[in-house]
Amino acid sequence: MKRSIALLAFVAFLTGCSKSPLEGDVLYLALETSPNKLDPALVIDVAEGQICSLIYQGLVRFSPEGDVVPAAATNWEIEANGTRYIFHLDPRARFSNGTRLLAKDVKASFERVLSPTSNSPRKWVLDRIAGAAEFSRGTSESIAGLSSPDDSTIVIELREPFGPFLQLLAMPAAAIVPTGGGGAPSAAPPVSATAADDSGGELASRPVGSGKWKLDRWERGDFLELSPNPYHPGEPPRIKRIRYRIIPEAFTRIAEFEAGTLDILKIPQAELDRFLGDASRRDRIQSRPELRVAYIGLNNTRGPLKNPAVRRALNLAVDVDRIVDVLTGGHAVRATGAIPPGLPGYVKREPYAYAPTEAGRLLRAAGYGDGFEIDIWQRDSPEGNRVVEAVQGYLLELGVRVRVVKREWSAFKEAVSRGRVDAFFLDWYADYPNGENFLYPLFHSENAGGGGNRSFFHNTRVDSLIESAQRTVDRSTCTELYETIDGLVYDQAPWIYLFFPTSFVVVSPRVQGYTYPVLYLGEDFSQIILSAEGNS
Amino acid sequence: MFAYTVKRLLLFIPLLFGVATVTFFLVYVLPGDPVLSMVGERYDEETIDQLRREMHLDQPVYVQYGYFIAGLVRLDFGTSYVTGETVSESVLKRFPYTFRLALFAMLISVVIGVSVGVLAAWKWRTPFDYVTMGTTIVGISMPVFWLGVLLIYVFAMKLRVLPASGYGGGDLRHMILPAVTLAQASTAYVARITRSSMMDVIREHYIQTARAKGVSEHRMLFAHALRNALLPVITVVGADFGSYLSGAVLTESIFAWPGLGRFTLDAILKRDIPTIQGAVFFMALVFMAINLVVDLMYAWIDPRIKLVGRK
């Protein structure tokens, strides 16, 4: 008798949780990694960028389509051949603590990122402003190209025209932080990655911004909860809260989605066929080509890889079309350049066709008839494992013996950035949707190593063309330049060019009005409606 | 016993110092640059140098070790490179999550493991014995990751009776699947140890005497035999509990549990040196404390054992 009562109680206890634990007006989302610092000056990864772009806003922001749209500034003029930007601030803009957002906040926010004592890894976002370098070095008290003639106007002057500047201003590093009280003198809290002083860590753990959302709760490693910023002047979001849970394992995220306790799921590659094959879900799946290029970087300064003919031979030896078909299930576009589809400058070029015989001939002509040995470094990832193994097989047919070296990110990054490896599998995500964000960091010799150019590609013509593209304000001329540069680099084959992946998200039946943004920074969830009927 | 405890506590100091030193040098020789974890994929050398200076990473290793020891003496591990939070504070914040899970898992493994073990010994060479001991082999051999995934699949995805993951604000239902996963191997092991230890005890003369006196089987098993059979069980349980308290990385990852294991793993992957040092130090301390408690329990369970602080 006792036993059956206990059993009944247990069943009742279990079934007690079978009804959906979701609250009707809360959007449930997952992050793969836990954000560490929510100070916009210190944002370095996707999770931090995503949360910061909800909490903070800059003068401008990205729309879900990737366009630059007004944020703290309602409108702006660009003068003097693209070197002077005059922004007019929204007089209604307020921080989530209720204080007004003034021009001096903008000024102080930029100064704190660029200040000599700041250790922001994102100074490059603002260093195009005239006088930024002098200010950063400590040789100037103020930033010459930054002024606020009145409370609602901010004037930015650049050293020279820079095409993508507006897009840079939509990045978290250019977000505006409060300087403390409407009338108080400008004193933004200093940026401190190491929290060497007490005031520095403040913003990183208790963020205050003027974005659409504000942070209510943050249990590190567990979840973050956001609610609409009551002082935001725009139309308020239609949901009451967003709850981001930190779920590191892909399987667990899928399980949560399938159990109905997650509203939006990025579908892992291995699960794509199952999701796309399910008719009941198909209309809830959205896809877009990612602004990301996957490649095998070849260190252009090491051994046989110094020779462009050898690098071309390696490209000819790998059947990339087959890799795309088989390993990505066709959900990727073959890369014949570094600029992804959807961005000005993307061109579908004649690819390095799969031609093992021609590759062998090139290699013999270069004096490597007997082949050679190289290491390819990679991080342990499902995508990487499959692709690198395939490439290893193709190159072996050419006589190039590949030793695959797997390391976790920290060791990988150190070795690759310092040029200590022959080759490596890596990808590059756009920080802002512009071809320049692929060409300059990845191929300009100024950025060799840590700046992004980890294949140590060096070509003076490419360098000067990239610089002139950056100075070009006219869009069509700029696009033409991007196309030319990307083509020139492709011909030099600094990488084994692979593909631009496509990614997919699926939303739960109760979510309506969601648009999968081109860039994760463009997400604001303001249009989402949660219907009651889907909540089962 | 008091003198013994004090002596053992004093012994903690050189041991912890040793652990801290070994950790320091292990982290030092790891490949990977902690500064690079702080700067993202596009960085300039000036920022790197500045950070390196601030974190004393530009100093020779003995100077860094000096800073480390100076902090250690004050039990100050500094602030995390990655989160900017005080290390000791973050470790203490994560520990309760781990503690709850470990405690629940331990409860499962002790209650189920000991009961099954006692019954199997009692029903020696019966189908019950064969089936349970067969099952324990499966329990010991099944990888944690696999069991976790299986449980989530069945109970969260298919039956939808339990939450798949997360701490759930302390809701007990969130704890069931991770605790069962964590307890699985230990339960099986405890059952086997209890069984074999019980079988030795059951054959002792005093048990035969108790039987002859007409003591009920139930009383004989649990009051007379079990207490004497418990010593090896406690050793196993103590060691397992100690390791659970230092965080169960796999279980915590599958179940998105915000415990110490995942926290430390993240720190290791990011080369967050102060956090690694603080977390390892704390784990060592917990492990030593558990061992001490286990030793004290020996004396409590078996009064014949005398704990003396030997000269």
Side-chain angles (χ1 to χ4, degrees):
Chain A
M1 184 62 192
K2 254 188 208 163
R3 212 178 291 169
S4 51
I5 290 177
L7 195 68
L8 269 178
F10 185 64
V11 171
F13 169 69
L14 286 187
T15 47
C17 38
S18 63
K19 59 178 185 301
S20 169
L22 300 194
E23 288 175 52
D25 43 15
V26 182
L27 184 70
Y28 291 83
L29 302 172
L31 289 173
E32 290 176 33
T33 55
S34 182
N36 292 308
K37 288 174 182 156
L38 295 179
D39 179 337
L42 297 172
V43 163
I44 53 165
D45 66 18
V46 174
E48 290 166 357
Q50 214 163 333
I51 305 293
C52 280
S53 66
L54 296 174
I55 297 174
Y56 299 94
Q57 64 177 0
L59 293 165
V60 292
R61 65 179 180 86
F62 290 117
S63 72
E65 294 74 31
D67 301 322
V68 173
V69 294
T74 48
N75 60 313
W76 53 89
E77 293 105 44
I78 305 174
E79 297 174 349
N81 188 31
T83 54
R84 189 186 302 126
Y85 289 69
I86 302 160
F87 291 93
H88 305 284
L89 300 184
D90 186 340
R92 303 165 304 162
R94 280 174 187 277
F95 293 102
S96 59
N97 61 10
T99 54
R100 256 193 78 189
L101 186 154
L102 303 171
K104 71 179 174 69
D105 295 308
V106 182
K107 203 162 164 273
S109 300
F110 289 9
E111 282 166 355
R112 77 188 276 276
V113 172
L114 291 168
S115 117
T117 56
S118 133
N119 38 33
S120 167
R122 285 286 185 268
K123 284 184 184 165
W124 59 264
V125 172
L126 299 170
D127 69 3
R128 306 270 162 185
I129 301 175
E134 293 79 355
F135 180 74
S136 279
R137 277 199 302 271
T139 52
S140 160
E141 287 286 298
S142 62
I143 303 169
L146 192 61
S147 57
S148 49
D150 59 61
D151 274 355
S152 58
T153 312
I154 189 102
V155 180
I156 301 175
E157 287 181 68
L158 304 185
R159 283 200 313 263
E160 54 187 5
F162 184 67
F165 186 66
L166 268 182
Q167 292 179 322
L168 289 181
L169 290 183
M171 289 183 60
I176 304 157
V177 302
T179 52
S186 299
V191 181
S192 174
T194 50
D197 59 285
D198 290 340
S199 55
E202 193 74 350
L203 209 55
S205 53
R206 276 187 290 278
V208 177
S210 60
K212 284 197 177 153
W213 299 86
K214 67 181 176 66
L215 183 71
D216 284 343
R217 280 186 73 189
W218 183 9
E219 294 293 333
R220 283 179 191 267
D222 194 6
F223 68 90
L224 297 99
E225 238 170 41
L226 308 168
S227 66
N229 171 7
Y231 298 102
H232 192 274
E235 196 189 329
R238 298 157 86 163
I239 44 177
K240 292 275 179 294
R241 257 185 307 146
I242 302 176
R243 191 179 169 99
Y244 273 104
R245 285 188 45 209
I246 319 295
I247 310 180
E249 288 297 323
F251 170 80
T252 316
R253 291 193 295 275
I254 296 168
E256 291 284 5
F257 183 80
E258 302 251 356
T261 45
L262 206 58
D263 284 315
I264 301 174
L265 172 77
K266 186 170 179 194
I267 310 174
Q269 180 74 42
E271 294 285 326
L272 256 184
D273 288 341
R274 188 167 70 83
F275 274 85
L276 291 171
D278 181 348
S280 68
R281 285 198 180 120
R282 211 169 295 147
D283 57 338
R284 289 188 274 121
I285 293 178
Q286 296 181 33
S287 73
R288 62 161 167 74
E290 287 183 45
L291 299 182
R292 169 163 85 102
V293 57
Y295 63 96
I296 294 205
L298 306 170
N299 189 325
N300 291 206
T301 61
R302 282 170 78 98
L305 300 174
K306 280 182 197 159
N307 185 341
V310 171
R311 303 196 299 258
R312 275 184 216 118
L314 299 190
N315 273 281
L316 291 171
V318 178
D319 190 349
V320 178
D321 286 325
R322 203 166 150 70
I323 288 180
V324 168
D325 273 352
V326 178
L327 298 183
T328 73
H331 301 301
V333 175
R334 178 170 184 175
T336 55
I339 302 176
L343 292 187
Y346 166 72
V347 176
K348 196 174 172 192
R349 293 181 182 81
E350 189 60 40
Y352 288 107
Y354 177 52
T357 332
E358 171 67 6
R361 198 191 59 74
L362 276 177
L363 218 55
R364 277 191 302 280
Y368 296 100
D370 297 330
F372 52 88
E373 277 183 28
I374 54 167
D375 288 347
I376 299 186
W377 282 50
Q378 65 159 119
R379 285 176 289 163
D380 202 15
S381 73
E383 186 183 58
N385 295 347
R386 289 193 298 261
V387 170
V388 172
E389 236 171 73
V391 170
Q392 183 184 31
Y394 282 119
L395 293 187
L396 186 62
E397 284 173 22
L398 184 68
V400 175
R401 295 169 297 282
V402 171
R403 199 171 69 102
V404 177
V405 182
K406 277 189 199 176
R407 290 287 184 274
E408 38 72 49
W409 183 221
S410 188
F412 175 91
K413 192 173 171 187
E414 184 188 28
V416 169
S417 304
R418 304 218 187 286
R420 293 196 203 120
V421 309
D422 300 323
F424 53 91
F425 173 73
L426 195 59
D427 52 10
W428 181 265
Y429 280 92
D431 290 309
Y432 46 94
N434 196 303
E436 189 269 349
N437 189 219
F438 286 82
L439 301 178
Y440 175 66
L442 293 171
F443 304 121
H444 196 287
S445 41
E446 252 175 28
N447 292 317
N453 180 358
R454 295 187 166 93
S455 55
F456 294 84
F457 176 77
H458 176 70
N459 183 309
T460 37
R461 179 150 179 248
V462 167
D463 283 355
S464 74
L465 281 173
I466 290 176
E467 285 155 28
S468 70
Q470 289 178 324
R471 284 192 299 265
T472 306
V473 183
D474 180 63
R475 277 209 166 175
S476 65
T477 319
C478 187
T479 305
E480 273 171 36
L481 273 168
Y482 288 166
E483 288 172 4
T484 311
I485 299 164
D486 206 13
L488 276 173
V489 178
Y490 189 64
D491 187 53
Q492 293 294 309
W495 306 341
I496 299 177
Y497 284 79
L498 295 173
F499 49 82
F500 306 111
T502 303
S503 61
F504 293 78
V505 290
V506 56
V507 300
S508 70
R510 66 186 200 133
V511 172
Q512 282 161 16
Y514 175 70
T515 313
Y516 188 20
V518 170
L519 202 69
Y520 66 90
L521 295 173
E523 200 132 42
D524 72 2
F525 305 110
S526 60
Q527 298 307 313
I528 285 187
I529 306 173
L530 296 172
S531 67
E533 59 268 31
N535 187 13
S536 59
Chain B
M1 191 138 146
F2 178 73
Y4 174 82
T5 312
V6 171
K7 190 129 194 159
R8 281 285 297 268
L9 285 174
L10 284 176
L11 203 61
F12 276 21
I13 297 169
L15 280 173
L16 285 172
F17 183 78
V19 167
T21 302
V22 170
T23 316
F24 175 87
F25 286 102
L26 276 182
V27 173
Y28 187 79
V29 297
L30 269 187
D33 187 335
V35 178
L36 294 192
S37 310
M38 303 171 65
V39 292
E41 288 199 39
R42 184 172 169 180
Y43 57 82
D44 58 273
E45 291 299 328
E46 281 164 38
T47 313
I48 295 281
D49 291 343
Q50 187 176 337
L51 281 169
R52 194 164 279 138
R53 272 195 305 277
E54 269 183 37
M55 287 152 45
H56 307 301
L57 290 172
D58 56 336
Q59 307 277 344
V61 62
Y62 59 88
V63 178
Q64 290 184 44
Y65 183 67
Y67 278 113
F68 170 62
I69 293 298
L72 188 67
V73 174
R74 288 174 280 127
L75 283 181
D76 172 13
F77 291 93
T79 47
S80 156
Y81 294 164
V82 176
T83 64
E85 286 204 320
T86 317
V87 169
S88 39
E89 227 173 80
S90 354
V91 169
L92 291 178
K93 228 188 262 173
R94 288 301 185 89
F95 183 64
Y97 296 103
T98 293
F99 185 74
R100 264 178 78 107
L101 185 60
L103 200 68
F104 203 59
M106 226 51 258
L107 254 161
I108 294 176
S109 87
V110 169
V111 171
I112 299 181
V114 170
S115 324
V116 167
V118 169
L119 291 178
W122 185 46
K123 302 271 186 193
W124 182 56
R125 286 198 175 167
T126 64
F128 179 83
D129 183 27
Y130 296 137
V131 170
T132 49
M133 287 306 109
T135 316
T136 56
I137 290 283
V138 177
I140 289 174
S141 338
M142 192 185 280
V144 166
F145 201 83
W146 168 242
L147 180 71
V149 165
L150 202 69
L151 290 178
I152 292 178
Y153 181 75
V154 174
F155 291 97
M157 283 165 80
K158 290 295 148 189
L159 301 176
R160 293 197 182 192
V161 291
L162 286 172
S165 70
Y167 181 64
D171 181 353
L172 208 61
R173 287 174 308 204
H174 278 263
M175 203 137 72
I176 296 176
L177 294 186
V180 168
T181 306
L182 189 59
Q184 162 239 167
S186 167
T187 310
Y189 201 51
V190 166
R192 294 185 73 84
I193 293 273
T194 309
R195 174 180 172 272
S196 68
S197 172
M198 279 293 279
M199 293 202 356
D200 291 342
V201 174
I202 283 175
R203 293 202 192 95
E204 294 279 341
H205 291 307
Y206 61 88
I207 296 291
Q208 307 297 337
T209 315
R211 273 208 174 110
K213 277 198 311 191
V215 172
S216 73
E217 281 291 289
H218 183 263
R219 204 175 136 70
M220 182 276 291
L221 274 180
F222 287 95
H224 295 265
L226 184 58
R227 184 155 180 182
N228 286 296
L230 269 185
L231 279 190
V233 177
I234 287 178
T235 312
V236 170
V237 169
D240 279 349
F241 192 49
S243 71
Y244 291 174
L245 284 181
S246 17
V249 175
L250 283 181
T251 310
E252 287 178 4
S253 296
I254 311 167
F255 291 99
W257 195 266
L260 209 53
R262 243 178 75 203
F263 171 78
T264 313
L265 180 68
D266 280 349
I268 294 172
L269 291 179
K270 296 223 164 89
R271 302 291 186 272
D272 185 357
I273 298 175
T275 306
I276 302 176
Q277 283 158 348
V280 172
F281 184 88
F282 182 77
M283 287 171 183
L285 181 67
V286 167
F287 210 91
M288 288 174 200
I290 296 283
N291 269 329
L292 176 60
V293 171
V294 167
D295 286 350
L296 296 177
M297 274 174 82
Y298 285 156
W300 176 65
I301 288 191
D302 188 343
R304 286 170 302 178
I305 296 178
K306 292 268 177 297
L307 299 175
V308 244
R310 262 188 302 171
K311 291 264 152 57

